[in-house]
Amino acid sequence: MSAGASMLRIVTTLGSPLFLVLGMKNSTVFESVLGVHTVGELLRHYPRRYYTRGELTNLGSLREGDHVTVLARVDLVRRIPLPPQRFGPRQGGRRERLEVIVTDGTAKLVLTFFARVTYWARELQPGRLGLFAGTVSTFRGRRQLVHPECEMLPDEAEDTRVVAELAAEYSTAMIPVYPASAKLSSWRIARVIEGILEDLDAGEDPLPADVREKYRLWPRETAIRAIHQPQERGDLEHARKRLKWDEAFVLQAALAQRRLAAAAMPAVPRPPSPDGIAAAFDASLPFTLTEGQRFVGEVIARDLSCAYPMNRLLQGEVGSGKTVVAVRAMLQVVDAGGQAALLAPTEVLAQQHYRSITQLLGPLARGGQLGGAEQATRVALLTGSTGAAARRSALSDAFTGDAGILIGTHALLEDRVQFADLGLVVIDEQHRFGVEQRDALREKAAGARPHVLVMTATPIPRTVAMTVFGDLEVSTLAELPAGRSPIATHVVPAADRPRYLERAWERIREEVADGRQAYVVCPRIGGEAPGEAAEDGADDDADSGAEGETTARRPPLAALDVAPELAEGPLSGVRVGILHGRLSPDEKDRVMTAFADGGIDVLVATTVIEVGVDVPNATTMVVMDADRFGVSALHQLRGRVGRGRAAGLCLLVTEAPEGSPARERVDAVAATLDGFRLSRLDLEQRREGDVLGATQAGRHSSLKMLRLLSDEELIAFAREEATALVAADPQLTAHVALRETIEVLLGPQRAEFLDKA
Ligand code: ADP
Ligand code: MG
């Protein structure tokens, strides 16, 4: 039943489009369900597990709502008449349902059929083995699959020659079980892949022979065949290792090319000056720099003095003082006659940076103005909502070079923004930006490349840094400035303990009575048409498992509902404000300013406040439906309190039952303030593909087999080998197969972008 049987027998390659091999109708299903378009992509849809005949699925472990494929033996078949009154007189005849009990030897599962009862009764003979796929439901306390898809394995008892052959095949071979859905069963995928493998020529191996030999890696084609059709368990380990190497090596080779290309670019050196604005700034700082800030500062100062562009990632906990480090770098560039641009992910954050940086600089930011210092420069702000007059003067100051520092959002990327001499690009909170944006801004420097500093508060495990930010050098601010108060985090189980929630509101009233402020964070804005997604809502994908399908839950709490409820209920008399992504930039700024000035006591908000918002007087945060947020988001949110001298308190409200994965996530955030541990946890729960960020969004992820956390050693080896190979042959002229694989794996846009670098 080879799908390509009707066509000419031509060899299939990894690049063959699926429709050529499967035909239009078939390939459409595969494309829509699995998102695969080529043979290579389909062959990277790897089995989730394997069944062998002797080993039946543990039926006791099935969870309601899961879409499952199980291997089990038919135990009992019963035809049960349906009560006649449930069917109209028209129906007449005998109505019955078929109940088939299948077993793994201990636990049982019911298969229920209401149609084609006679057919299924004949197919599902007691004693026979089959694969059954469907969604697990519960009926009268028993687990069941209603109208499962069935694939009977050849009967051992029958002895016609064909069946005997098939039986022999099945009893030695392992049966692959693929991630599947109601529209596309695991065995349909298996059949198609089987057919493809018959005609496959996987082409030249992208991994050089010496690397293969050194790490004892199988040839690629052998690994591809073995992962889909292992002859024995031992095959899998070899196949997996080899396929992981492919992913790691290809990615690292691409990154090595990019690093090499970047280092070959000329940049203008911007060495520090002993008595410029940077020195004046240091002297005026109201605090002493931490050890880490000083150290990273020196590293950056050296980078900026080089004739090739800096590409550095600065990571540090929320509140670790990255902004000061960035300001010092920007001032060094200004001293050397250049300009710096600071790109922030949101309007709110850009405005806040502008406020805090002009404040930190004081007279140093009032170049050409009355009261300005001698070395002073000018700081300009440019966002989508900057008014016409202010915009004109910001654009002109950037163009003439009067503004040493330009702060803004995406608006900075527009064509009409032109710099006299852009020397440094600082990007705050990298995870919100794609690599492309980094490039767009970079291109605003005429001639030479600007230096680039990327800042992130989401700590990145080593291997992720190596993989996702593999073209950047990494620096870390490990300590928080002294005098920072710790944040206490508690879980409030709203369903079991409503009294705790009441206590949370009392606590906020007490804080407000003491002159402090609080945030109440909700996962959704509210007020949208049914089914419409909130643009700045929480990420809700963290708990969708590989196999499970999400079950219906109540919609997450909305800021627009919660705010009035609080204002009229538990927080009556307290000044409550609302902040969310659907407000106009002007309104947002007004609300943030009112909150910062103390005109609002409690701010009910969505995750718009997640990044960088700094109001030291806000000491308490209540996160509603905390389980609807990802681990990193919760950690980021929590960083908004405890920024002043008073101790911070974060209350994570959740209705998720104890022990559920959602609840465990919330518990983990409450249990530690260690961002690195949390980011590891976050990564374990998300798929690596998500980590690759905007470039990969919506695309077929380039990492299928590789696990960034557990494959740390392999990634390090692959990086070493790939870097050496690229250093010796930057254009990969002697490694055509590798070059082609990079293009296929990373997609055409990505490859183009690598060339551009
Ligand atoms: P991040 O961006 O890393 O979250 P910020 O740069 O916003 O942190 O710094 C948080 C707060 O700490 C700011 O108000 C900043 O002025 C202050 N700060 C920075 N460095 C120090 C330091 N060395 N000592 C005391 N306060 C500091
Ligand atoms: Mg910051």
Side-chain angles (χ1 to χ4, degrees):
M1 151 141 203
S2 168
S6 60
M7 310 207 32
L8 280 175
R9 284 295 261 206
I10 44 168
V11 282
T12 304
T13 67
L14 295 178
S16 305
L18 270 188
F19 70 85
L20 275 187
V21 184
L22 304 186
M24 241 353 170
K25 196 155 153 249
N26 242 331
S27 68
T28 306
V29 177
F30 277 77
E31 281 170 18
S32 71
V33 177
L34 303 181
V36 294
H37 306 279
T38 64
V39 165
E41 285 172 3
L42 175 58
L43 290 179
R44 298 182 80 235
H45 185 70
Y46 298 125
R48 197 181 50 238
R49 67 165 85 102
Y50 304 84
Y51 287 144
T52 43
R53 245 168 132 71
E55 240 177 90
L56 305 185
T57 313
N58 176 1
L59 297 179
S61 68
L62 301 183
R63 287 179 320 173
E64 191 168 338
D66 284 355
H67 181 88
V68 295
T69 302
V70 302
L71 176 62
R73 191 177 296 279
V74 178
D75 190 32
L76 201 72
V77 180
R78 289 195 299 171
R79 297 168 88 123
I80 298 167
L82 291 174
Q85 67 273 21
R86 286 189 35 203
F87 296 90
R90 277 183 302 112
Q91 304 270 353
R94 266 178 56 214
R95 297 294 300 199
E96 54 184 359
R97 80 186 145 94
L98 185 71
E99 185 181 278
V100 178
I101 314 262
V102 298
T103 176
D104 59 7
T106 18
K108 293 182 193 306
L109 175 69
V110 181
L111 313 181
T112 304
F113 298 88
F114 295 100
R116 301 180 70 203
V117 164
T118 308
Y119 170 80
W120 287 116
R122 199 170 50 233
E123 276 293 290
L124 302 169
Q125 296 285 337
R128 288 194 65 178
L129 272 180
L131 287 164
F132 307 103
T135 302
V136 180
S137 57
T138 305
F139 181 66
R140 291 190 181 143
R142 297 186 306 174
R143 292 287 137 98
Q144 69 167 0
L145 303 180
V146 177
H147 277 282
E149 283 201 67
C150 306
E151 163 96 341
M152 302 313 293
L153 300 194
D155 196 327
E156 292 132 279
E158 285 181 58
D159 63 356
T160 68
R161 193 172 306 152
V162 176
V163 171
E165 263 169 29
L166 268 176
E169 187 182 307
Y170 265 117
S171 62
T172 54
M174 294 165 40
I175 304 165
V177 180
Y178 291 90
S181 78
K183 282 206 197 84
L184 189 56
S185 70
S186 168
W187 52 86
R188 186 162 160 209
I189 298 170
R191 287 257 164 78
V192 163
I193 287 181
E194 208 179 304
I196 284 175
L197 289 179
E198 276 170 27
D199 298 335
L200 181 73
D201 176 356
E204 203 189 320
D205 199 313
L207 268 193
D210 56 334
V211 173
R212 262 170 18 221
E213 214 162 292
K214 184 164 164 193
Y215 296 93
R216 303 182 186 289
L217 303 174
W218 277 9
R220 177 169 66 171
E221 184 157 342
T222 315
I224 291 174
R225 291 181 183 282
I227 202 74
H228 293 288
Q229 301 180 329
Q231 292 308 305
E232 51 186 43
R233 289 264 157 205
D235 289 357
L236 292 174
E237 197 191 318
H238 291 285
R240 286 199 181 115
K241 183 173 161 196
R242 167 59 215 244
L243 296 169
K244 283 177 177 183
W245 258 89
D246 271 15
E247 292 177 4
F249 190 84
V250 169
L251 198 56
Q252 292 302 337
L255 290 167
Q257 279 186 305
R258 193 177 151 81
R259 275 197 306 274
L260 211 62
M265 292 285 174
V268 179
R270 314 278 179 178
S273 114
D275 51 5
I277 185 170
F281 175 73
D282 280 359
S284 77
L285 273 179
F287 44 73
T288 41
L289 297 174
T290 64
E291 194 70 22
Q293 283 172 321
R294 209 188 320 272
F295 177 75
V296 174
E298 278 166 24
V299 172
I300 292 175
R302 221 173 309 130
D303 284 355
L304 294 175
S305 311
C306 290
Y308 58 88
M310 169 173 84
N311 268 306
R312 187 165 292 279
L313 174 71
L314 173 59
Q315 55 174 337
E317 283 291 323
V318 172
S320 59
K322 296 183 292 295
T323 312
V324 176
V325 173
V327 171
R328 295 181 73 228
M330 294 193 279
L331 295 179
Q332 175 174 334
V333 169
V334 171
D335 276 335
Q339 293 166 288
L342 170 58
L343 183 61
T346 64
E347 188 93 21
V348 169
L349 191 56
Q351 310 231 359
Q352 185 179 298
H353 269 312
Y354 178 73
R355 266 199 300 270
S356 64
I357 288 175
T358 44
Q359 198 182 342
L360 266 178
L361 284 168
L364 293 172
R366 294 200 284 271
Q369 287 175 36
L370 218 57
E374 192 192 330
Q375 313 94 322
T377 184
R378 233 180 266 167
V379 181
L381 174 70
L382 187 67
T383 71
S385 69
T386 305
R391 164 176 304 260
R392 244 189 328 269
S393 96
L395 286 174
S396 135
D397 283 358
F399 183 72
T400 58
D402 285 348
I405 297 177
L406 187 61
I407 299 173
T409 52
H410 289 86
L412 290 187
L413 304 176
E414 288 165 18
D415 283 342
R416 59 184 153 163
V417 180
Q418 284 175 24
F419 292 86
D421 181 10
L422 181 60
L424 171 65
V425 173
V426 179
I427 301 180
D428 197 11
E429 309 297 349
Q430 158 78 12
H431 60 293
R432 297 278 173 111
F433 287 110
V435 221
E436 287 84 356
Q437 278 136 332
R438 209 156 85 203
D439 275 11
L441 199 48
R442 209 182 238 158
E443 254 143 44
K444 295 206 174 283
R449 291 240 151 179
H451 300 280
V452 173
L453 178 66
V454 176
M455 304 194 286
T456 176
T458 308
I460 297 160
R462 203 171 72 94
T463 40
V464 180
M466 252 192 242
T467 309
V468 183
F469 300 106
D471 57 333
L472 303 176
E473 312 280 343
V474 181
S475 294
T476 305
L477 286 181
E479 66 190 310
L480 293 184
R484 201 55 64 69
S485 358
I487 305 167
T489 311
H490 301 287
V491 177
V492 178
D496 337 334
R497 305 279 171 91
R499 175 75 197 106
Y500 284 18
L501 187 56
E502 286 168 38
R503 179 72 196 105
W505 304 130
E506 281 165 29
R507 180 63 194 261
I508 287 194
R509 297 190 72 101
E510 290 163 18
E511 291 287 320
V512 170
D514 280 349
R516 298 202 222 291
Q517 292 161 285
Y519 299 100
V520 176
V521 183
C522 299
R524 196 164 58 93
I525 300 175
E528 60 270 287
E532 187 189 322
E535 73 267 31
D536 55 353
D539 29 314
D540 200 5
D541 59 351
D543 59 347
S544 54
E547 193 171 22
E549 266 159 22
T550 38
T551 38
R553 299 189 282 178
R554 73 158 165 75
L557 291 172
L560 290 177
D561 301 332
V562 168
E565 276 168 34
L566 288 177
E568 286 153 26
L571 297 183
S572 67
V574 170
R575 291 168 303 172
V576 176
I578 301 187
L579 184 71
H580 59 74
R582 272 211 312 269
L583 292 180
S584 76
D586 266 2
E587 288 170 311
K588 263 190 255 175
D589 190 42
R590 213 167 321 129
V591 174
M592 261 330 285
T593 310
F595 189 61
D597 295 347
I600 291 174
D601 299 314
V602 174
L603 188 61
V604 179
T606 56
T607 49
V608 284
I609 62 153
E610 180 188 326
V611 183
V613 169
D614 190 7
V615 178
N617 192 46
T619 48
T620 307
M621 171 176 289
V622 178
V623 183
M624 307 304 290
D625 279 341
D627 50 289
R628 307 290 181 110
F629 295 87
V631 168
S632 292
L634 287 176
H635 183 57
Q636 291 273 309
L637 281 168
R638 168 168 65 182
R640 301 302 116 220
V641 291
R643 295 178 77 85
R645 301 248 156 221
L649 174 68
C650 177
L651 300 173
L652 304 175
V653 181
T654 176
E655 291 180 5
E658 229 174 314
S660 65
R663 175 65 181 274
E664 275 172 16
R665 215 160 57 225
V666 176
D667 287 345
V669 175
T672 180
L673 288 171
D674 183 342
F676 278 93
R677 262 177 59 195
L678 291 173
S679 75
R680 279 189 85 94
L681 182 80
D682 203 21
L683 196 57
E684 274 158 21
Q685 298 201 338
R686 284 160 182 282
R687 283 300 316 263
E688 271 80 355
D690 303 338
V691 182
L692 293 179
T695 344
Q696 295 281 332
R699 274 186 40 79
H700 205 65
S701 164
S702 61
L703 298 188
K704 288 287 181 191
M705 194 61 98
L706 201 62
R707 292 289 166 269
L708 293 181
L709 295 177
S710 49
D711 296 324
E712 199 163 323
E713 195 187 45
L714 189 154
I715 294 172
F717 281 139
R719 180 178 174 87
E720 201 179 303
E721 299 294 342
T723 307
L725 183 138
V726 170
D729 180 7
Q731 299 307 319
L732 301 177
T733 17
H735 299 90
V736 177
L738 176 60
R739 203 176 61 211
E740 285 170 4
T741 312
I742 289 178
E743 275 160 27
V744 170
L745 200 68
L746 301 184
Q749 309 100 308
R750 180 85 184 200
E752 182 183 300
F753 146 81
L754 285 166
D755 287 344
K756 217 172 57 186

